[in-house]
Amino acid sequence: MTEPLSRFIALYQQLNLQQLHRLPEVYADEVIFIDPAHRIEGLAALGDYFAALYQRLAYCRFEIVSQQQQGEQAWLSWVMTFSHPRLAAGQPIRVEGATRLEFDAEGKVRVHSDYFDLGAMLYEQLPLLGPLVRLIKGRLGS
């Protein structure tokens, strides 16, 4: 594992509202962050996004399951466990996902793409919508 990837993983395993000032340690100023619900461009916008996100979460932790790097690209698989007061009655929610990172010449992340099931993370946790989403997913699997 390279130093930039180690630094990235170490930060994410400690990331919370009080650690957001450390984002410039791992992200380039022109970073592009993409997940199933967002596309964010620039370190300042990413910091604002994380600040809003972590203010609403009661708890969030990442467990890195596997990692692989080749050249300037890396893949991580992870399990995120989080708690939000408006989802699943505040109970912990586990979501499996993967992240693809592209590093620049200075070893900072210039592209961060997250892949996960947004339905499992959000829609299935909503009181009225959750049962319907689970029913649809169950029927698709039959």
Side-chain angles (χ1 to χ4, degrees):
M1 183 167 43
T2 67
E3 177 65 30
L5 183 56
S6 297
R7 224 176 25 246
F8 180 87
I9 291 170
L11 176 60
Y12 264 78
Q13 290 179 326
Q14 301 170 11
L15 198 57
N16 61 34
L17 197 56
Q18 290 72 38
Q19 297 295 318
L20 295 181
H21 69 280
R22 296 182 53 206
L23 292 176
E25 295 175 17
V26 297
Y27 286 108
D29 288 339
E30 305 81 26
V31 65
I32 298 172
F33 176 92
I34 303 165
D35 72 14
H38 304 91
R39 179 185 171 97
I40 298 165
E41 297 188 23
L43 183 55
L46 183 61
D48 292 344
Y49 166 70
F50 280 145
L53 180 70
Y54 276 97
Q55 282 180 331
R56 291 182 291 231
L57 292 175
Y59 170 84
C60 185
R61 180 176 61 91
F62 285 91
E63 174 192 346
I64 305 301
V65 177
S66 68
Q67 57 206 358
Q68 183 176 12
Q69 183 169 2
Q70 185 168 5
E72 295 177 352
Q73 181 172 275
W75 282 91
L76 302 171
S77 64
W78 44 262
V79 176
M80 176 177 62
T81 305
F82 72 97
S83 172
H84 187 290
R86 295 177 130 177
L87 298 175
Q91 294 300 307
I93 299 168
R94 287 176 43 96
V95 177
E96 295 181 20
T99 297
R100 183 179 63 84
L101 302 171
E102 293 179 23
F103 294 97
D104 65 15
E106 296 176 8
K108 293 195 175 184
V109 175
R110 61 182 165 98
V111 179
H112 176 153
S113 300
D114 279 343
Y115 303 91
F116 57 86
D117 182 348
L118 186 59
M121 178 182 185
L122 179 62
Y123 306 129
E124 290 179 33
Q125 310 308 324
L126 298 172
L128 297 176
L129 193 55
L132 179 61
V133 171
R134 288 189 292 276
L135 175 68
I136 292 169
K137 283 175 87 172
R139 288 193 177 177
L140 288 174
S142 308

